[in-house]
Amino acid sequence: DIQMTQSPSSLSASVGDRVTITCRASQGISNYLAWYQYKSGKGPKVLIYGAFTLQSGVPSRFSGSGSGTDFTLTISSLQPEDVATYYCQKYNSAPWTFGQGTKVEIK
Amino acid sequence: EVQLVESGGTLVQPGGSLRLSCAASGFTFSIHGMHWVRQAPGKGLEWVSYISNTGSTMNYADSVKGRFTVSRDNAKNSLFLQMNSLRVEDTAVYYCARLVSPDYWGQGTLVTVSS
């Protein structure tokens, strides 16, 4: 099975900072990669799908890039409401594996 | 308004069985493949199972294969997860979900496996 490895596992940044989270697949998955935001007390919600397509209603400070095995989620200017855990997920075929998550905090 | 409401979570002993249900409303349930996703205490999201819109295709994580069975009743807009031979490590909040885009998630139901 394809493994999904996210890094870092956690980060602390200041409001306004550019934040980058990476996700690596152990084999190529084309662009079948989604990014989810999971806030404590709320259910997850998709931010990006197809590696770079922004879900309707998601702020434009979020962006995704990559294809094949290496993917990136970028928050261009970190806001207090972005405190959450972020997960990548492959969906080219089963199993639909999630990365282990990246916890984002405000410094 | 889209709603997914899970039920059936409870405390069960190791080796026991449990059936989770998910009631869907606010969208055309019968045209969407559906998933179960879980989150153990202090851990990340773990994909558990998928069932296609017609129920003809089911997939499972290795950690539950042979013990869990996903099913659905499109006439009743319902998704199910039959969990047998439960282990302590199956303790988690279980979510039913339609993944990727659009994504729909329930509020989750807690399954605790403990003696």
Side-chain angles (χ1 to χ4, degrees):
Chain A
D1 291 344
I2 297 173
Q3 306 304 313
M4 305 300 291
T5 304
Q6 268 182 254
S7 61
S9 56
S10 66
L11 66 89
S12 182
S14 299
V15 172
D17 281 355
R18 183 180 184 89
V19 168
T20 300
I21 299 169
T22 65
C23 178
R24 175 164 287 178
S26 59
Q27 297 175 42
I29 59 171
S30 185
N31 64 340
Y32 292 98
L33 192 283
W35 289 97
Y36 294 85
Q37 179 190 64
Y38 193 177
K39 292 185 179 181
S40 181
K42 296 188 175 183
K45 75 167 189 175
V46 71
L47 301 173
I48 303 282
Y49 63 96
F52 54 80
T53 301
L54 193 67
Q55 176 70 2
S56 177
V58 173
S60 59
R61 63 181 179 274
F62 292 94
S63 64
S65 64
S67 183
T69 60
D70 294 301
F71 303 89
T72 300
L73 173 70
T74 300
I75 308 173
S76 61
S77 176
L78 186 67
Q79 300 301 304
E81 59 266 33
D82 300 335
V83 168
T85 302
Y86 294 83
Y87 295 90
C88 62
Q89 184 194 33
K90 63 173 279 293
Y91 60 95
N92 61 315
S93 62
W96 293 40
T97 310
F98 287 94
Q100 72 270 35
T102 297
K103 188 173 184 179
V104 174
E105 298 176 323
I106 300 291
K107 195 181 293 183
Chain B
E1 180 195 4
V2 170
Q3 279 201 315
L4 292 170
V5 180
E6 302 94 339
S7 61
T10 190
L11 171 65
V12 61
Q13 291 191 335
S17 296
L18 206 56
R19 190 192 198 209
L20 304 184
S21 300
C22 173
S25 60
F27 67 105
T28 308
F29 178 75
S30 61
I31 67 172
H32 294 286
M34 296 294 294
H35 299 259
W36 288 97
V37 175
R38 68 184 181 184
Q39 185 175 36
K43 303 290 187 181
L45 298 176
E46 181 186 12
W47 175 82
V48 173
S49 182
Y50 164 81
I51 185 167
S52 62
N53 64 316
T54 62
S56 60
T57 299
M58 291 88 79
N59 302 113
Y60 300 94
D62 285 346
S63 57
V64 307
K65 203 172 292 183
R67 301 187 298 122
F68 289 13
T69 302
V70 62
S71 62
R72 64 191 298 162
D73 183 340
N74 285 342
K76 295 183 178 179
N77 290 340
S78 295
L79 179 71
F80 306 101
L81 186 67
Q82 177 66 43
M83 304 187 295
N84 298 331
S85 302
L86 281 161
R87 304 168 180 168
V88 170
E89 55 265 34
D90 295 319
T91 295
V93 174
Y94 285 75
Y95 297 95
C96 70
R98 197 274 183 204
L99 294 179
V100 190
S101 181
D103 66 325
Y104 309 139
W105 295 77
Q107 84 289 347
T109 187
L110 176 62
V111 173
T112 304
V113 185
S114 174
S115 55

